Amino acid sequence: MSTLDTSSTGLAALLSPGTVRSTVLPVVRQQVSALEPTLARVCSYHLGFTDEHGDLSGAANGKLTRAALMTAAAQGVGLRPEDVRSQAAALELLHNSTLIHDDIIDADELRRGRPAAWKVFGASLAILAGDALQALSLQMVVDDPGPGRAEISCAFAEANRLVLAGQSREFTVRLGSGAGIAEYDRIVEEKTSALLQCALVTPALRAGSPEHVLAALRGAGRHLGLAFQIFNDVEDIWGDPAVTGKPVRGDIERRNPSLPVLAALSAGGPAGERLRGLWQAGGTTAAHLQEIADLTEEAGGRHTAEQRSRDHLDSALEHLGRAGLTPAASAELTALFDRIVNRTA
């Protein structure tokens, strides 16, 4: 396998956002364009390549977070970005398949500041488009001839299985009588952490890294996913829609048990008890949602969630340190972890 410049200057040049995009997006475009034409049109719209008429668009393509993680991790084990380009593109496609399906399940009408694919093309076609991206992602890793193909294919299949399990579990919990923090953690580990773990582990599998490296990277991905999702839960209630790209309090409106609410309910006390009553009442007016948010904060749910997010980020960095990656890659991944969780520039 080829190696690359491990100095800070060399890494910055290789892993700038523009470099990651120029490395991964052409592969994504090429693969999606080869889909059945109708599915290609829906997927191209969702990915921001085209508008609803099929004309070229300047819409956002997403942050390519998983591709950036994979590219940085690749450098950490002595590979070049090109060595995992196909896998990075495949993981972005797998991630986007979950976004298409999530928007339908949650009835979210906006994605990246414009109408979600299901609002434009209908739920039936959007479901098929999400399925097509999922199948395409797995086909890409199976077809790639490089080292570790079997292990990488298994990692992708396992990540896909976990995401589906987490989504099913979340939906079941949402319809049930409630969930505890342990159940919440399990859902996040499946639905969110699994793809981040896959991003970090894939280069190590390609490089034939020993098991202790794989274990450290899996741990980093697990805690990174928890840190990100918990912070995302906080933003859903108290965030700025201009930053998040979605209206606030969607989780509360759907009665999706997010960490701040679970923590507030677990804390008990007068605010927690009033919160439980409002939560079970099922109201969705703006005033009702605002009162739920206020009681969640009063009962300590926001503080607890923010602290748990910071703790998980610290744990993710501790695991990253055990992986023995190159210093430059470790520094890049440390910065990426912070940007992912805290939405820093």
Side-chain angles (χ1 to χ4, degrees):
M1 278 294 171
S2 56
T3 58
L4 54 80
D5 179 3
T6 58
S7 68
S8 297
T9 302
L11 185 66
L14 284 166
L15 299 186
S16 67
T19 300
V20 174
R21 300 181 80 80
S22 65
T23 300
V24 174
L25 282 184
V27 180
V28 172
R29 285 179 183 271
Q30 179 185 26
Q31 293 290 331
V32 168
S33 68
L35 291 171
E36 185 277 330
T38 300
L39 295 176
R41 182 180 173 188
V42 180
C43 293
S44 294
Y45 170 83
H46 167 78
L47 290 163
F49 298 149
T50 59
D51 62 17
E52 64 271 26
H53 306 296
D55 298 325
L56 291 178
S57 169
N61 307 120
K63 296 180 179 179
L64 301 183
T65 295
R66 289 142 197 86
L69 287 171
M70 192 180 294
T71 304
Q75 188 275 340
V77 293
L79 305 181
R80 296 187 62 84
E82 291 80 4
D83 296 325
V84 293
R85 175 166 47 198
S86 180
Q87 291 74 21
L91 193 58
E92 287 296 335
L93 290 177
L94 184 55
H95 169 59
N96 275 278
S97 78
T98 71
L99 298 183
I100 292 176
H101 289 159
D102 277 355
D103 287 343
I104 299 168
I105 292 170
D106 294 338
D108 281 337
E109 298 186 359
L110 293 178
R111 169 64 61 183
R112 296 170 187 145
R114 64 177 188 162
W118 72 274
K119 287 297 294 182
V120 176
F121 299 99
S124 296
L125 270 180
I127 290 170
L128 292 176
D131 291 345
L133 291 183
Q134 189 178 100
L136 177 58
S137 169
L138 297 178
Q139 190 66 54
M140 287 171 66
V141 296
V142 169
D143 286 347
D144 186 84
R149 176 174 63 175
E151 293 81 2
I152 292 170
S153 298
C154 287
F156 269 72
E158 176 67 1
N160 188 36
R161 183 189 71 79
L162 289 172
V163 168
L164 295 174
Q167 180 63 76
S168 175
R169 204 181 311 281
E170 180 185 55
F171 191 58
T172 303
V173 166
R174 189 184 305 170
L175 295 177
S177 59
I181 291 176
E183 180 72 2
Y184 170 92
D185 285 351
R186 183 177 181 183
I187 290 170
V188 173
E189 287 169 15
E190 292 174 334
K191 190 178 175 185
T192 304
S193 295
L195 293 185
L196 300 177
Q197 288 177 308
C198 189
L200 293 170
V201 167
T202 291
L205 292 171
R206 169 128 294 183
S209 300
E211 178 56 36
H212 77 273
V213 174
L214 298 174
L217 292 173
R218 289 190 193 101
R222 172 182 176 270
H223 286 286
L224 178 62
L226 285 161
F228 164 75
Q229 187 57 59
I230 293 170
F231 191 81
N232 190 67
D233 288 353
V234 173
E235 283 194 317
D236 180 82
I237 302 176
W238 297 284
D240 180 358
V243 175
T244 64
K246 288 190 174 186
V248 293
R249 306 196 179 110
D251 283 339
I252 293 177
E253 185 173 358
R254 292 186 294 269
R255 293 306 189 268
N256 190 21
S258 64
L259 198 284
V261 172
L262 289 173
L265 292 173
S266 299
E273 291 308 311
R274 293 202 306 275
L275 172 61
R276 189 179 301 278
L278 284 175
W279 185 264
Q280 294 172 347
T284 58
T285 65
H288 196 107
L289 299 181
Q290 179 66 55
E291 189 172 3
I292 288 177
D294 292 343
L295 287 170
T296 299
E297 185 160 16
E298 183 180 340
R302 180 175 186 174
H303 173 78
T304 298
E306 290 174 341
Q307 184 61 56
R308 286 179 67 90
S309 179
R310 288 191 294 268
D311 290 345
H312 279 298
L313 178 55
D314 289 343
S315 294
L317 295 173
E318 288 175 9
H319 279 84
L320 180 64
R322 297 182 193 135
L325 305 182
T326 63
S330 293
E332 175 67 16
L333 284 166
T334 296
L336 272 172
F337 282 18
D338 182 66
R339 291 203 294 272
I340 290 167
V341 175
N342 298 312
R343 295 185 185 268
T344 54

